[in-house]
Amino acid sequence: MNLILLGPPGAGKGTQAQRLVKTLKVPQISTGDMLREARAAGTPLGLEAQKYMEKGELVPDEVVTGLVEERLKADDCGPGYMLDGFPRTVVQAETLEKTLDRMDKKLDHVVLIKVDDEVIVERITGRRSCPECGKIYHVVFDPPKDGICVCGYKGDFVQRADDTEEVVRERLKVYYSQTAPLVDFYGKQWLVREVEGTGTPDEVFQKVRASIGLE
Ligand code: AP5
């Protein structure tokens, strides 16, 4: 299965992707994670991306489209792929179409997770993740049981530098102006599956599964 997870920052794309990976057995391709890895490794691309990410702006299209094109060539994408946080602009979506055509790959579903802005701010400012395995938690809604991650890690959980209220509000503005037009772009291709992102992560997962015909 080939899919895109679309939705505002903090809608739960990463949380659902971590569940879907186990069900679908296809890799999660998160441009946000790829850019953060490049930044942590101190590569020129990562350092360039940091300038945009810390302000909540989008990294230039040509940087991310190149990363995704390379990643889609990997063997593990043979059975399918799950794009999380990409595409983010119409230009990225058009480039992806050409890439998929060239590779003879297709797209089955665009899952749109919808959540209100104020819930998003609450979710993002409380987000923490495991520094060992990357599992996503929330200090109130989804804390690690007894402070221990499912991977066994115990210690401080990490907060992303762009998870402040000020930067989240900027990311929301960017989402509505540059990413929301993709709903129409993919709507015209009858690919959009809308999911209400409220409820517990497991409840939302049931809705996501149903939206792509898994139940
Ligand atoms: P990226 O990393 O993609 O961030 P994002 O799209 O802003 O999305 P998030 O990761 O913040 O949220 P999410 O929807 O995955 O939510 P999560 O599951 O973690 O991008 C970061 C930056 O990189 C961008 O600003 C940009 O600069 C750059 N970038 C990345 N891709 C790019 C691209 N294609 N083009 C250009 N630039 C790009 O959940 C959030 C919190 O809520 C967690 O704490 C979680 O536990 C909690 N939660 C989840 N579900 C629920 C629920 N049902 N109930 C209660 N709490 C929940």
Side-chain angles (χ1 to χ4, degrees), residues 16-182:
Q16 296 305 321
Q18 290 181 345
R19 286 166 167 76
L20 280 167
V21 159
K22 293 181 197 147
T23 307
L24 299 176
K25 311 262 188 299
V26 298
Q28 171 194 7
I29 302 177
S30 158
T31 41
D33 286 348
M34 289 160 95
L35 293 168
R36 278 184 288 279
E37 277 161 25
R39 187 180 57 189
T43 65
L45 185 149
L47 297 175
E48 174 69 10
Q50 178 174 7
K51 290 192 244 160
Y52 299 93
M53 295 170 83
E54 67 191 11
K55 288 188 274 182
E57 294 169 2
L58 294 183
V59 174
D61 289 331
E62 59 276 15
V63 175
V64 275
T65 51
L67 278 179
V68 172
E69 181 159 359
E70 274 312 301
R71 182 64 185 84
L72 283 169
K73 287 181 191 161
D75 288 347
D76 63 345
C77 293
Y81 57 84
M82 178 169 38
L83 292 167
D84 164 11
F86 180 93
R88 280 285 233 279
T89 63
V90 171
V91 170
Q92 290 180 19
E94 288 169 346
T95 309
L96 175 67
E97 265 187 348
K98 289 183 196 138
T99 302
L100 294 176
D101 274 353
R102 265 201 312 277
M103 300 173 99
D104 208 18
K105 287 182 188 285
K106 61 187 183 78
L107 182 58
D108 300 305
H109 307 284
V110 176
V111 178
L112 170 66
I113 306 181
K114 295 171 69 181
V115 177
D116 289 343
D117 289 3
E118 290 315 308
V119 176
I120 281 171
V121 172
E122 214 181 347
R123 283 190 184 180
I124 287 205
T125 50
R127 171 168 49 193
R128 301 290 185 275
S129 59
C130 172
E132 292 291 326
C133 72
K135 181 161 169 44
I136 302 164
Y137 292 99
H138 188 282
V139 288
V140 177
F141 305 133
D142 192 15
K145 198 165 180 286
D146 301 323
I148 301 171
C149 182
V150 287
C151 74
Y153 170 83
K154 189 173 181 352
D156 290 335
F157 287 74
V158 182
Q159 182 170 29
R160 269 168 48 179
D162 59 346
D163 277 356
T164 61
E165 179 165 352
E166 191 191 353
V167 180
V168 171
R169 294 212 182 266
E170 181 57 31
R171 283 159 62 195
L172 279 168
K173 276 192 214 152
V174 169
Y175 173 77
Y176 290 115
S177 64
Q178 300 193 55
T179 308
L182 293 181

